[in-house]
Amino acid sequence: MTVHNLYLFDRNGVCLHYSEWNRKKQAGISKEEEFKLMYGMLFSIRSFVSKMSPVDMKDGFLSFQTSKYKLHYYETPSGLKVVMNTDLGVGNIQEILHQIYSYIYVEYVVKNPLCGLNESIQSELFRNKLDSFVRSLPFFSARAG
Amino acid sequence: MARQSSRGGSESKKMSSELFTLTYGALVTQLCKDYENDEDVNKQLDKMGYNIGVRLVEDFLARSNVGRCHDFRETADVIAKVAFKMYLGITPSITNWSPAGDEFSLILENNPLVDFVELPDNHSSLIYSNLLCGVLRGALEMVQMAVDVRFLLDTLKGDGVTEIRMKFIRRIEDNLPVGEE
C-alpha cells in the first residue's frame, strides 16, 4: 500500500499545500495548472454528486477510484479540503483526513498568527509535522503498491 | 476556574477564566486610552473579535466534530450549547425567535467577560463585550453564513440579563475561483 500525494485547498480554491511521496508520473503541466485542474474537477464533482443524488446526502463526495489509484476527499464545514491519493488497497480514511485537519492544519497553521489563512503555507513546522504524520500511517509505504 | 468547560474529553485544555477576563479587561482599558471615543473602541473590539472568530471556528470544528448545520435553529443550538460551553464555560439560553426563524437572542445570565467590571459614567456608549459579536460574526462567515450580531441588553448597563441578538442575513455561496471555466 502506498500514499501518492496530498493537496490542501481552501474554500476559495487556493492550493494551500501540496506534498508528494510516491508519484511515478507527473502531470506534464505546471503545478499551478495542476492545482487549478484538480480544484476545478473537485468543484464539479461536488456539484455533480449533490445534483445526481436521489436522496438527501449526509457526507457528499468521499472518494473515487480508477484502475490504478484512489482519490480520497474530506471537506470541513469551513470549506477546507483535504485530498489524498493512495493505491487501491486503502479503505475509508475520512477519519485520518480529519486528523490531518485537526492535528496538523489547525494546530500549526490556524494557531500560528504569522500564517496567513488564504495563502500557500510556508511554515516549515507544518510541513515537517504533516510529513511525519503521513509517513507514520499504516498504509504508507515507500514501496510502490 | 470553577466554571471552565469540561467538554471534549482529555485533549481539551483548561485555563483559569480569570486570566482571560482580566486580559480582556486590560485590552478594553488600553483601547479606551488609545481611542477616547467609545464608538471607535466598539468598532475595534468587533474587528479584533472577527479576526479571532475566523480562526477560532477552525479550532471549534476540529475539536467538536460538528458537521454542517442545515438551518439557523441548529446553528443556534450549536453556538449556545457547544461553542459557548467549550470556550466560555457557560450555556446561554435561546429565545425570542422571529416568526421567520431568521433571528434569535442569546440570553447570558452571567457574562464571563465582565466579572470584575464597573462601567464608569463617561463610557455609556461603550459596548464592553463587543468582541463577542465580532467572534460570532467571523466564525459564522467561515461556515458561509452572513449574520448581524449586536448587544440588546447588558448587565453592565443595569439590565437584568445580557442579550445578544443574532440575525441571519444570507447564505454565502461558493464561487469558482476567477480564471476558471
Side-chain angles (χ1 to χ4, degrees), chain A residues 11-13 36-37 39-40 43 46 75-78 98 101-102 105-106 109-113 115-117, chain B residues 11 13 54-59 61-63 65-68 141-144 172 174-177 179-180:
Chain A
R11 59 210 298 255
N12 302 313
K36 275 192 191 171
L37 201 57
Y39 188 80
F43 192 91
R46 274 174 71 225
E75 183 178 338
T76 70
S78 56
H98 176 78
Y101 166 66
S102 57
Y105 175 75
V106 170
V109 176
V110 176
K111 293 189 183 175
N112 179 352
C115 278
L117 288 188
Chain B
E11 102 252 54
K13 295 172 200 113
V54 162
R55 287 187 185 246
L56 198 65
V57 72
E58 303 284 1
D59 181 68
L61 293 171
R63 282 169 50 178
N65 239 328
V66 167
R68 198 176 275 280
E141 190 173 306
M142 290 299 118
V143 289
Q144 291 170 297
I172 303 164
D174 279 359
N175 290 318
L176 259 187
E180 201 101 14

Side-chain angles (χ1 to χ4, degrees), chain A residues 56-75:
Chain A
D56 253 357
M57 286 188 306
K58 243 186 105 220
D59 296 322
F61 167 50
L62 299 178
S63 67
F64 73 70
Q65 64 182 59
T66 71
S67 59
K68 291 289 181 198
Y69 74 98
K70 183 170 177 186
L71 179 144
H72 307 262
Y73 178 83
Y74 170 78
E75 183 178 338

